[in-house]
Amino acid sequence: AQRVTQPEKLLSVFKGAPVELKCNYSYSGSPELFWYVQYSRQRLQLLLRHISRESIKGFTADLNKGETSFHLKKPFAQEEDSAMYYCALSGFDPMDSSYKLIFGSGTRLLVRP
Amino acid sequence: DGGITQSPKYLFRKEGQNVTLSCEQNLNHDAMYWYRQDPGQGLRLIYYSQIVNDFQKGDIAEGYSVSREKKESFPLTVTSAQKNPTAFYLCASKYGYGYTFGSGTRLTVV
């Protein structure tokens, strides 16, 4: 079964400090992993996905298959990074031949001035 | 302007009434999904549909029903059997490796 775990409900850091939002997953095949961000009163939006290996707004995430992790990192946090962050996994379920996107429970990042 | 439209943005219903949330997309995407978002619990999958006239239960399907009569539309009905229907509901569709989300409907049952 697909599962995504984000162990931290809240992460509070000061501006300029490094940030790491943890994400671990469980999936038997080759997963597609994503980070989504939801700013206050805004639509859920894609931050980055592992397949593109890009850096968005200074955030990066590396897929570690050995540790089944996809942690989100940023070397210097900014106040505008304060938001809700969701790690998500898209995988093929052979039981019903479908793709599903499963989310973690989310981590609220609070960047203090 | 392509995208997913969810309507209405806010919905109020009396306890015991069924209510249907609309989700329409003009992106020509085959797969569509319904999620429920609650504080501290993230987004949980309610129902999903890979093609027209086909859909499957997600992790929390009890008390909900869907239909997929047209590719563009995937309405969600919250029935009176759903014990705690007050929540934020998100619709999504899939393209290639990515997903597109609607702006959501906040349902409040009083």
Side-chain angles (χ1 to χ4, degrees):
Chain A
Q2 299 170 210
R3 182 172 295 172
V4 178
T5 303
Q6 292 181 252
E8 304 142 327
K9 287 189 185 297
L10 172 67
L11 184 63
S12 180
V13 300
F14 286 103
K15 177 182 173 181
V19 169
E20 182 178 66
L21 284 76
K22 292 184 171 20
C23 172
N24 288 90
Y25 67 90
S26 174
Y27 180 63
S28 56
S30 293
E32 299 295 337
L33 285 152
F34 307 84
W35 276 99
Y36 284 87
V37 60
Q38 190 170 32
Y39 300 100
S40 180
R41 301 184 186 279
Q42 293 189 27
R43 186 184 295 222
L44 189 72
Q45 55 187 284
L46 178 67
L47 181 62
L48 54 80
R49 55 189 184 186
H50 92 273
I51 197 169
S52 58
R53 300 186 63 82
E54 54 194 342
S55 174
I56 303 293
K57 299 184 180 183
F59 285 97
T60 59
D62 290 318
L63 176 61
N64 186 325
K65 291 187 177 181
E67 296 182 358
T68 59
S69 68
F70 189 55
H71 303 327
L72 183 68
K73 301 177 184 180
K74 185 169 183 176
F76 308 103
Q78 303 299 314
E79 289 182 66
E80 55 265 32
D81 295 328
S82 295
M84 195 74 181
Y85 291 81
Y86 293 99
C87 182
L89 181 154
S90 178
F92 182 73
D93 186 345
M95 297 293 287
D96 58 13
S97 298
S98 69
Y99 282 91
K100 289 184 286 190
L101 184 65
I102 302 298
F103 287 85
S105 54
T107 297
R108 180 168 297 283
L109 175 64
L110 178 61
V111 182
R112 300 173 184 268
Chain B
D1 185 24
I4 295 183
T5 302
Q6 288 188 245
S7 60
K9 194 170 184 178
Y10 299 97
L11 191 56
F12 295 87
R13 278 296 181 269
K14 290 184 178 179
E15 191 172 344
Q17 287 183 335
N18 290 358
V19 60
T20 297
L21 282 61
S22 169
C23 177
E24 303 280 331
Q25 54 104 354
N26 59 4
L27 301 165
N28 201 34
H29 293 170
D30 287 313
M32 297 185 74
Y33 306 80
W34 272 106
Y35 293 89
R36 170 179 172 142
Q37 188 176 23
D38 295 285
Q41 296 192 57
L43 289 87
R44 292 180 290 169
L45 183 62
I46 305 173
Y47 265 98
Y48 56 104
S49 168
Q50 299 296 296
I51 56 172
V52 174
N53 293 322
D54 185 49
F55 49 83
Q56 291 83 33
K57 293 181 178 180
D59 298 322
I60 55 165
E62 186 175 350
Y64 299 97
S65 65
V66 293
S67 62
R68 188 83 187 277
E69 297 177 2
K70 298 186 298 181
K71 191 175 188 178
E72 307 80 41
S73 179
F74 191 40
L76 174 74
T77 297
V78 184
T79 74
S80 57
Q82 168 50 233
K83 298 191 185 312
N84 187 20
T86 294
F88 187 68
Y89 292 87
L90 269 175
C91 180
S93 66
K94 184 179 187 294
Y95 64 98
Y97 292 114
Y99 295 78
T100 300
F101 288 85
S103 56
T105 293
R106 183 165 298 282
L107 172 65
T108 302
V109 174
V110 296

